[in-house]
Amino acid sequence: GSEAGPGEQLARLNQQMAQWRQAERDVEALQTAWSSQQNLLARQAELQRECSRLQAEQENLIPAGKQARSERDAAEQALKITLDLLERQRLARSENVEALRAALVPGEPCPVCGSGEHPWHQADALLAAFDQQDESEAERARQALQAQDLHLQELRDHHTVLPTRLKQAQQR
């Protein structure tokens, strides 16, 4: 009896079937592991691109910050010059208006504009109008400086946050 009986053959077939099923599960596990590795490699490449982008952004912030600081300093200087100039104009107008008003003679034409009437005979109204215009100009200069301050602060904030984002991207 070298031939096995049906029970033995069935046992061998069941054992071989179990081995094939295990081999199939092993192949599926390897396919899953390979797929995970491919996903991880793709994610790694994506993170490397993100790190490179963040590093480039950080490097670009430095010259942008220097430029913004320069523009802010120029706006501050413009405000100072504007305020100094407006103050000198106020003083000059105050003196000139008083001198012109004293020179007005009723019935004679104005020596400045030639008008027979003097609508700005009240120096206070004239000075108030000039002061209002001056204040508007000063306010525009202040707003320009505030806009530059805000821009500079936004760049500083971004520059502060960027290294953290870069570290996070590198650690992922």
Side-chain angles (χ1 to χ4, degrees):
S2 67
E3 256 190 57
E8 223 177 278
Q9 286 180 343
L10 185 59
R12 261 188 285 151
L13 287 173
N14 280 336
Q15 183 181 6
Q16 193 174 20
M17 183 74 98
Q19 289 172 347
W20 288 343
R21 285 188 181 132
Q22 182 59 45
E24 185 179 28
R25 284 191 298 274
D26 290 347
V27 167
E28 287 174 2
L30 284 172
Q31 287 174 333
T32 300
W34 185 83
S35 179
S36 292
Q37 181 187 17
Q38 293 305 306
N39 289 338
L40 288 172
L41 288 172
R43 179 72 177 136
Q44 181 184 23
E46 178 185 322
L47 287 172
Q48 285 173 337
R49 285 189 300 274
E50 176 70 4
C51 287
S52 295
R53 187 190 66 74
L54 289 172
Q55 285 172 331
E57 190 175 337
Q58 186 175 22
E59 289 168 10
N60 290 336
L61 272 179
I62 294 169
K66 288 179 180 178
Q67 176 68 29
R69 179 61 192 203
S70 175
E71 290 171 2
R72 186 247 176 245
D73 290 346
E76 183 177 41
Q77 185 65 22
L79 173 62
K80 183 182 181 312
I81 290 169
T82 298
L83 293 176
D84 289 347
L85 179 62
L86 292 175
E87 184 57 30
R88 284 197 301 272
Q89 286 177 350
R90 270 188 210 111
L91 291 173
R93 277 197 304 263
S94 175
E95 293 168 5
N96 287 340
V97 167
E98 291 299 321
L100 289 173
R101 190 172 101 184
L104 289 176
V105 177
E108 289 188 22
C110 174
V112 175
C113 68
S115 173
E117 296 184 21
H118 307 290
W120 293 105
H121 191 63
Q122 284 110 9
D124 294 339
L126 177 61
L127 290 175
F130 283 141
D131 285 346
Q132 183 178 4
Q133 183 180 358
D134 290 351
E135 192 51 43
S136 294
E137 198 171 322
E139 186 56 31
R140 279 191 299 277
R142 281 187 201 98
Q143 288 173 354
L145 178 59
Q146 286 176 339
Q148 290 299 326
D149 281 340
L150 181 62
H151 179 62
L152 188 58
Q153 189 58 49
E154 287 170 352
L155 286 172
R156 284 180 178 146
D157 293 347
H158 194 59
H159 189 265
T160 301
V161 169
L162 219 56
T164 303
R165 287 178 53 203
L166 184 58
K167 281 182 187 174
Q168 290 171 345
Q170 289 170 337
Q171 291 173 353
R172 283 188 249 157

